[in-house]
Amino acid sequence: VRIDVFFHGGAAGQSDLSGRVVLVIDVLRASTTIATALHNGARAVVPFEGVDEATARARTLDRREVILAGERRMVTVPGFDLGNSPREFTGEVVAGKTILLTTTNGTAAMVAPQGAAEVVIGAFVNYTAVLALLRGAARAGTSLSIVCAGSGGRFTLEDAVCAGRFVRGVSRRGIQPELGDAARVAAMIDRGIGGDVEAMLRACDHGRELIAAGYEADLAACAGVDTHPVVPVLRDRQLVPLAARKRR
Ligand code: MLT
């Protein structure tokens, strides 16, 4: 069993993901938003790469059952119901709804993996729940690919720390996976600076951009470990919560 980490969404495209469990991470903020929405009772989140695609799909659906959500340059897309702040996705707003979501980097990374055995979405807010799925897969002999959304094809610290935490979480208590070089580096990064997640989020590039754009409160929401224990998995191009009994 092997664990590979890709430090931006595009990097995974050149790799053979077939038969693997693929974990996609966009801590700031798409993964956190998706876990929050599903934990708060949304029926499904449908990720889209483009704004036009999401808008076109919304036109084909009953608008009373659908929420159109997403950001560009961190701000709500004009005409959309919600942006990409996890704090917007409360139970009152999302329960029973299907959310069509498009974000700059995160949702594109989620629709990209081809041939995977499973695509799962992770962040700090659902860390332990997702870790249980990854450990179960590794124990059963399935290799893991962890895809960091990154930003515009670049490395992002917050996704690397979170990826490293998953690498470290899988690689203990009787599981000794072979680690690719990037997986080793991610684990080192988490060990080095992952101790205070909120401080790390406040210091990283995108965290500082979010503060400047008025989304400072989102950082605390994204830093909460295990606040939204749900496992979003891709089924027929929709992210739905994995039933609790299937997690192990
Ligand atoms: C992205 O997909 O690039 C992020 O989720 C951007 C954001 O903070 O909204």
Side-chain angles (χ1 to χ4, degrees):
V1 171
R2 190 179 153 94
I3 307 181
D4 288 295
V5 168
F6 301 91
F7 284 126
H8 64 84
Q14 290 135 31
S15 170
D16 183 11
L17 302 176
S18 53
R20 288 183 165 226
V21 168
V22 175
L23 167 66
V24 182
I25 297 175
D26 183 8
V27 171
L28 295 176
R29 297 167 291 175
S31 294
T32 302
T33 293
I34 289 165
T36 303
L38 292 179
H39 188 250
N40 286 342
R43 221 176 52 74
V45 178
V46 192
F48 291 92
E49 186 167 357
V51 169
D52 292 347
E53 254 179 297
T55 311
R57 176 69 66 83
R59 277 198 214 102
T60 69
L61 299 168
D62 182 344
R63 291 293 275 123
R64 286 167 302 185
E65 293 175 11
V66 164
I67 292 174
L68 191 52
E71 58 70 40
R72 287 297 179 271
R73 297 176 192 274
M74 297 169 280
V75 176
T76 305
V77 176
F80 277 28
D81 306 311
L82 297 179
N84 185 33
S85 166
R87 293 177 302 123
E88 294 175 282
F89 292 71
T90 60
E92 242 171 28
V93 174
V94 303
K97 300 279 173 86
T98 294
I99 295 161
L100 312 182
L101 179 69
T102 179
T103 72
T104 309
N105 301 283
T107 52
M110 291 166 196
V111 298
Q114 301 293 321
E118 185 82 278
V119 175
V120 53
I121 307 305
F124 290 106
V125 294
N126 62 350
Y127 173 75
T128 300
V130 169
L131 181 64
L133 179 143
L134 300 184
R135 285 183 58 82
R139 243 193 234 110
T142 303
S143 290
L144 312 175
S145 296
I146 302 180
V147 180
C148 301
S151 179
R154 287 180 291 113
F155 173 98
T156 54
L157 193 57
E158 67 279 13
D159 293 341
V161 168
C162 190
R165 187 151 313 181
F166 279 112
V167 171
R168 295 174 67 202
V170 174
S171 313
R172 60 167 69 123
R173 286 191 283 124
I175 304 177
Q176 286 182 307
E178 178 187 329
L179 301 184
D181 288 352
R184 279 175 201 278
V185 170
M188 286 178 207
I189 294 171
D190 178 46
R191 215 177 284 121
I193 60 162
D196 183 339
V197 175
E198 191 171 341
M200 181 274 295
L201 294 183
R202 297 180 73 85
C204 68
D205 285 346
H206 193 46
R208 283 184 282 116
E209 285 165 0
L210 284 165
I211 292 171
Y215 293 107
E216 184 166 1
D218 283 5
L219 302 187
C222 295
V225 178
D226 291 337
T227 52
H228 296 92
V230 65
V231 181
V233 290
L234 204 55
R235 296 278 181 272
D236 299 328
R237 300 185 185 186
Q238 304 197 354
L239 293 163
V240 294
L242 187 68
R245 67 189 148 72
K246 287 193 187 160
R247 280 190 202 149
R248 277 176 193 273

